Amino acid sequence: MLDPINTMPQARTGKIARASYEVRKHVNEMLRDGKTAKAVINFLNGAGISGVTDMNVSNWRDGGFQDFLKEQTRLEEMQFKREFAMEIVRQNQGSQLQEATLHLAASQLYEALTDFDIGRLKELLDEKPENYAAIVNSLAKLSKGALEVQKYKDAVSQAQKEIQKLKDPKQELNEDDRKAIVAKVDEILGLK
Amino acid sequence: MERKNDIRKEILFQLYGVRPLSLSAARIARDCRKGGYDYTPDEIKSELQFLEDEKLIIGEREPGTTGKVFRIHALGVSVYEEKYAA
């Protein structure tokens, strides 16, 4: 296997682009908050990155920072849908589901949600909050089939574990098991 | 190589954004199209396989279907943040 962190190329190679994720994130937040190039340079110096000029900051503002703004817009939309999907699953089935199954169901709802115009969906819910319940119910139905399959799989898995226990020759028998075996042996031997 | 790298970046971005949820290859392809990219489903499947082989993402069978869904691994989060995030 390759070392993906070191072998996958970086999109940008400028002084700020080569800083760590945490440093870049802070620089982007400073620019978004309207901080000056001088303030950014001071912060970078404090983070151990020297030699950064006004031109470097200006280049970043026109390039990497613009990418950051676009990324944030898309991330916010994805995260809104993700939280919405997870909330629906939690409200409908959450208490009965394991975390992995919850994520699976929420993933399926997320897939359904992504074809909606999320901006329009927000508007509709703001205009008519009573639609929320209808949407929740519709989406819950969408995922119900998949959840039933998952529950069935979990039940099969549990049953297999129980059967495995019975197959274990070192398993200690309880009183009921002993009685059942004695009865079966009696039956086989014709004593009963 | 640059195109493959762009596809990997976009896949990691989408899976990063929805983590810990998972997405199908078809969903990723549709969102690529919505984002204005012309990546084909075959190209996306090929790069999903690459990222899975590199342990940056995890592929799982989706219950009740013959399809596969993918979610980002912790290593994928690190690679995305260090290499690709702006």
Side-chain angles (χ1 to χ4, degrees):
Chain A
M1 194 177 86
L2 298 168
D3 172 2
I5 292 183
N6 291 317
T7 54
M8 291 174 89
Q10 231 165 334
R12 294 183 183 276
T13 53
K15 284 189 177 157
I16 298 174
R18 280 182 279 130
S20 72
Y21 170 69
E22 291 304 326
V23 169
R24 293 195 314 272
K25 191 175 162 203
H26 193 77
V27 167
N28 287 327
E29 286 165 358
M30 288 178 82
L31 292 173
R32 187 191 58 200
D33 295 343
K35 296 280 192 293
T36 62
K38 190 172 167 42
V40 171
I41 292 168
N42 284 341
F43 162 72
L44 290 169
N45 285 339
I49 300 166
S50 56
V52 178
T53 63
D54 281 4
M55 183 56 76
N56 296 136
V57 177
S58 176
N59 287 342
W60 181 256
R61 195 193 302 270
D62 293 339
F65 177 61
Q66 297 306 316
D67 290 347
F68 166 79
L69 293 177
K70 284 181 205 153
E71 272 178 18
Q72 290 308 300
T73 305
R74 287 185 72 194
L75 281 174
E76 278 167 19
E77 187 174 309
M78 283 192 267
Q79 283 158 4
F80 174 82
K81 289 177 194 165
R82 179 191 67 190
E83 291 311 311
F84 190 57
M86 290 182 79
E87 187 55 34
I88 288 168
V89 174
R90 281 196 199 102
Q91 282 182 12
N92 283 272
Q93 314 263 0
S95 59
Q96 301 159 29
L97 296 179
Q98 291 176 339
E99 197 68 4
T101 313
L102 185 147
H103 289 162
L104 186 76
S107 296
Q108 288 169 338
L109 286 179
Y110 180 90
E111 295 236 356
L113 277 172
T114 38
D115 287 329
F116 289 163
D117 176 347
I118 204 71
R120 184 71 192 124
L121 181 62
K122 277 182 192 172
E123 282 173 23
L124 279 174
L125 292 176
D126 287 342
E127 285 166 17
K128 293 187 177 179
E130 66 273 20
N131 283 344
Y132 183 81
I135 292 169
V136 166
N137 286 334
S138 305
L139 290 170
K141 276 180 197 162
L142 270 176
S143 68
K144 193 167 183 295
L147 286 175
E148 290 304 321
V149 171
Q150 186 61 36
K151 277 190 214 161
Y152 169 75
K153 280 189 161 186
D154 290 345
V156 169
S157 168
Q158 187 60 38
Q160 280 172 337
K161 279 183 199 155
E162 294 301 322
I163 290 167
Q164 203 55 44
K165 277 187 207 164
L166 293 175
K167 284 182 182 167
D168 183 356
K170 290 176 185 164
Q171 172 84 14
E172 282 203 19
L173 300 176
N174 62 31
E175 193 54 33
D176 287 344
D177 292 337
R178 277 198 201 90
K179 280 182 185 165
I181 291 169
V182 169
K184 192 69 186 168
V185 171
D186 284 352
E187 189 187 327
I188 292 166
L189 296 176
L191 300 173
K192 169 178 165 187
Chain B
M1 190 59 202
E2 199 179 325
R3 183 175 170 90
K4 284 188 175 191
N5 199 51
D6 289 345
I7 298 172
R8 288 170 198 166
K9 177 186 174 185
E10 177 60 22
I11 291 171
L12 283 179
F13 173 74
Q14 289 191 25
L15 296 178
Y16 178 85
V18 302
R19 68 190 191 285
L21 304 190
S22 42
L23 296 176
S24 64
R27 175 75 267 157
I28 292 170
R30 281 202 294 278
D31 280 359
C32 284
R33 278 201 299 278
K34 270 167 73 177
Y37 300 110
D38 65 347
Y39 311 141
T40 67
D42 282 348
E43 282 180 307
I44 289 165
K45 278 181 193 162
S46 168
E47 296 317 314
L48 279 167
Q49 186 62 56
F50 172 86
L51 293 169
E52 192 180 359
D53 291 345
E54 292 299 318
K55 314 278 187 235
L56 301 186
I57 63 174
I58 300 163
E60 296 161 315
R61 288 266 156 238
E62 193 177 20
T65 74
T66 54
K68 201 173 176 184
V69 288
F70 300 87
R71 65 188 157 87
I72 198 164
H73 188 271
L75 183 58
V77 171
S78 295
V79 168
Y80 177 75
E81 290 182 344
E82 290 305 325
K83 291 288 172 187
Y84 292 132

